[in-house]
Amino acid sequence: MSGMEIERKFLVRNDDYKRCAHKNYRIKQGYICSQQGRTVRVRIRDNQGFLTIKGPSLDGGLSRYEFEKEISLDEAEHLFLLCEPGIIDKTRYLVSSGSHTFEVDEFYGDNEGLVIAEVELSSPDESYEKPDFIASEVTGDRRYYNSHLRRNPYKSWEVR
């Protein structure tokens, strides 16, 4: 998959997303490179490997170019050896809301206690139905980018 990714990001107010989810899976991801808004990420989702390249954020963090390619699990595990320090570990829950799917990430390890929801859109002004568990929007707030969370984990934040 490649193209422009347009998404909004939100904090989550409670764990109602768990009972609403139609699917969930564990994700482990690391960053081979995460500088100047560009990232090269390796991810293992359950037993699948992925390599993803993302460009700098545009439109106040609402959109960015993304290229993703499935790779073998063995390749992904070997690429983790090249990653910068700090691994992201989370469970992703998929929750349908209207014609959209919200991806809700519950973080573990140094980011324990953080839960973020994202919804992908076709255009920046596309409307969507927010589930009741959605709290404040954090689109464009770099503190909530996974590449930032690996360097500055949630547990170290003074003000949350």
Side-chain angles (χ1 to χ4, degrees), residues 27-34 39-45 48-54 67-84 86-90 146 150:
I27 294 174
K28 173 186 163 187
Q29 66 189 41
Y31 289 84
I32 295 171
C33 178
S34 61
T39 60
V40 178
R41 175 184 79 199
V42 60
R43 173 183 278 179
I44 295 175
R45 184 180 72 204
Q48 293 178 285
F50 297 90
L51 182 64
T52 305
I53 301 168
K54 292 188 177 195
F67 170 85
E68 184 170 78
K69 176 140 179 80
E70 187 170 354
I71 59 177
S72 74
L73 184 59
D74 186 57
E75 290 169 324
E77 288 171 345
H78 280 92
L79 286 174
F80 267 100
L81 300 174
L82 300 175
C83 288
E84 299 168 341
I87 298 297
I88 298 294
D89 183 18
K90 61 188 179 180
N146 285 275
R150 70 154 193 87

Side-chain angles (χ1 to χ4, degrees), residues 6-8 10 20-22 93-104 118-131 133-134:
I6 302 169
E7 67 182 11
R8 292 192 176 276
F10 304 89
C20 299
H22 61 270
Y93 297 84
L94 303 181
V95 178
S96 297
S97 181
S99 61
H100 294 89
T101 299
F102 279 75
E103 297 176 338
V104 182
E118 299 176 351
V119 62
E120 288 198 20
L121 305 171
S122 308
S123 68
D125 58 350
E126 181 181 354
S127 62
Y128 53 93
E129 294 177 36
K130 281 195 247 180
F133 58 79
I134 295 295

Side-chain angles (χ1 to χ4, degrees), residues 6 8 13 25 43 49-50 59 66 79 97 107 111 115 118 129 139-140 142 144-149 154 159:
I6 302 169
R8 292 192 176 276
R13 73 175 84 246
Y25 40 83
R43 173 183 278 179
F50 297 90
D59 307 322
E66 178 182 282
L79 286 174
S97 181
F107 291 85
N111 291 298
V115 181
E118 299 176 351
E129 294 177 36
T139 301
R142 294 188 182 283
Y144 296 100
Y145 290 13
N146 285 275
S147 59
H148 183 81
L149 288 169
Y154 186 67
V159 178

